[in-house]
């Protein structure tokens, strides 16, 4: 039996850096109620457009290490030279209120979630091509040339992990990808609700036809 956090569903989204996962995750939560972005902890410095407590919780290496030692992370990993982790208490706080979470995490993190037998829906996004990914990284305007080369050099190896995920989606046209992601969230919610909805309809049925079927 897999470990479940509250009544919320964990949607893990991974992709090579620059594919579009953060943009898509942010747009998705605007369109679907009861869906939240999981705010990770990181030792990376904030980018110009980022705010502490909204994009990440930005912490020192020392604080991060303390959190690791206290087993406060559901998963954590070193990604592109910095540490990133998903806080167990953050996840619990939201999922216990029946809020679903999007975890924008790398493939090592996704693997750890899977290995820990935590119930989660694993989604991998693919960039359409090498050139397209390069263009997106350049266009985003947040990384130096050196960082862009580093990200591109890691993309291929990362994509080899995609087959282990439940869903693999090509992120070509943004609106189409959003439609697909929305469909996955709604379908997974139907799966979660199946027992409850069935029970509710059957109980109501009994009241209406006046017979006890049990
Ligand atoms: P990631 O979180 O995967 O590193 P981002 O969300 O920062 O990637 O997206 C990288 C860039 O690609 C952003 O400028 C974003 O607007 C753009 N982008 C995302 N999806 C698409 C798409 N389907 N078509 C074109 N550009 C996209
Ligand atoms: P960025 O620095 O571009 O925001 O993120 C770099 C990478 O770290 C991305 O692949 C992102 O998904 C990943 N990442 C962000 N938060 C976490 C986390 O909590 N855990 C793990 N394992 N990866 C994360």
């Amino acid at each position: 039996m897999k470990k479940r956090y509250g009544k919320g569903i964990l949607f893990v989204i991974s992709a090579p850096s620059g594919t579009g996962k953060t943009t898509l995750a942010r747009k998705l939560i605007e369109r679907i109620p009861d869906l939240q972005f999981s705010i990770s902890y990181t030792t990376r410095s904030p980018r110009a457009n980022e705010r502490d407590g909204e994009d990440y919780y930005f912490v020192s290496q020392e604080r991060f290490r303390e959190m690791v030692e206290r087993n406060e992370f559901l998963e954590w990993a070193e990604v592109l030279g910095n540490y990133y982790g998903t806080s167990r208490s953050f996840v619990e706080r939201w999922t216990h209120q029946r809020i679903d979470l999007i975890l924008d995490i790398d493939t090592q993190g996704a693997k750890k979630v899977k290995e820990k037998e935590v119930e989660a829906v694993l989604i991998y996004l693919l960039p359409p091509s090498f050139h397209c990914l390069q263009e997106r990284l350049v266009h985003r305007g947040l990384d130096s040339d050196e960082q862009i080369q580093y990200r591109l050099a890691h993309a291929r190896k990362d994509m080899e992990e995609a087959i282990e995920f439940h869903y693999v989606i090509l992120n070509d046209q943004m609106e189409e990808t959003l439609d697909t992601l929305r469909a996955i969230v709604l379908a997974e919610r139907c799966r979660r609700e199946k027992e409850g909805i069935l029970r509710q309809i059957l109980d109501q049925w009994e009241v209406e036809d006046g017979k006890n079927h049990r």
Side-chain angles (χ1 to χ4, degrees):
M1 190 72 173
K2 290 198 167 183
K3 177 163 174 44
R4 180 149 204 181
Y5 281 92
K7 289 274 182 194
I9 305 170
L10 303 185
F11 293 96
V12 170
I13 302 191
S14 296
S17 176
T19 302
K21 56 191 176 310
T22 311
T23 309
L24 289 160
R26 294 288 181 189
K27 285 189 184 291
L28 202 63
I29 58 174
E30 284 169 15
R31 296 184 185 192
I32 304 179
D34 299 334
L35 184 66
Q36 270 280 348
F37 190 75
S38 164
I39 304 172
S40 296
Y41 284 73
T42 183
T43 59
R44 160 164 90 59
S45 314
R47 297 181 182 130
N49 61 338
E50 289 178 329
R51 296 202 189 296
D52 186 43
E54 280 181 28
D55 299 281
Y56 283 105
Y57 296 107
F58 296 98
V59 293
S60 64
Q61 298 234 9
E62 193 187 353
R63 168 106 169 84
F64 196 94
R65 250 197 316 270
E66 279 169 15
M67 291 182 75
V68 171
E69 276 161 23
R70 288 200 221 110
N71 196 24
E72 290 181 23
F73 290 120
L74 168 61
E75 63 74 35
W76 67 274
E78 187 182 349
V79 188
L80 307 167
N82 292 297
Y83 292 98
Y84 296 82
T86 305
S87 148
R88 214 183 280 282
S89 69
F90 183 97
V91 168
E92 281 169 1
R93 193 179 336 133
W94 288 103
T95 52
H96 279 106
Q97 298 171 60
R98 215 183 173 81
I99 301 291
D100 300 333
L101 287 176
I102 297 192
L103 279 61
D104 168 349
I105 64 178
D106 84 317
T107 43
Q108 305 171 71
K111 252 187 180 169
K112 285 181 195 167
V113 169
K114 200 173 172 192
E115 281 161 12
K116 280 189 179 175
E117 297 280 297
V118 171
E119 202 165 294
V121 180
L122 307 182
I123 303 168
Y124 196 93
L125 292 176
L126 288 174
S129 67
F130 176 88
H131 287 300
C132 197
L133 181 62
Q134 190 173 33
E135 234 172 66
R136 284 183 193 173
L137 283 164
V138 172
H139 210 88
R140 180 166 76 172
L142 293 174
D143 307 290
S144 65
D145 285 352
E146 191 191 352
Q147 282 168 330
I148 290 176
Q149 289 318 315
Y150 192 62
R151 280 158 203 255
L152 284 169
H154 282 80
R156 171 72 211 249
K157 185 106 195 76
D158 199 80
M159 288 189 290
E160 284 170 11
E161 305 287 342
I163 204 67
E164 301 297 326
F165 285 60
H166 296 118
Y167 300 97
V168 177
I169 307 171
L170 179 64
N171 178 29
D172 189 357
Q173 300 301 316
M174 198 182 295
E175 279 305 314
E176 276 178 27
T177 311
L178 279 167
D179 284 347
T180 307
L181 288 170
R182 185 164 180 277
I184 291 172
V185 171
L186 299 185
E188 292 293 340
R189 283 183 177 178
C190 280
R191 235 147 62 99
R192 174 187 58 192
E193 305 300 338
K194 67 177 182 181
E195 277 169 31
I197 192 101
L198 181 60
R199 194 69 270 146
Q200 184 192 328
I201 293 299
L202 291 181
D203 287 350
Q204 182 64 25
W205 201 275
E206 225 164 87
V207 171
E208 285 178 22
D209 83 353
K211 295 190 187 118
N212 187 345
H213 295 272
R214 268 173 270 196

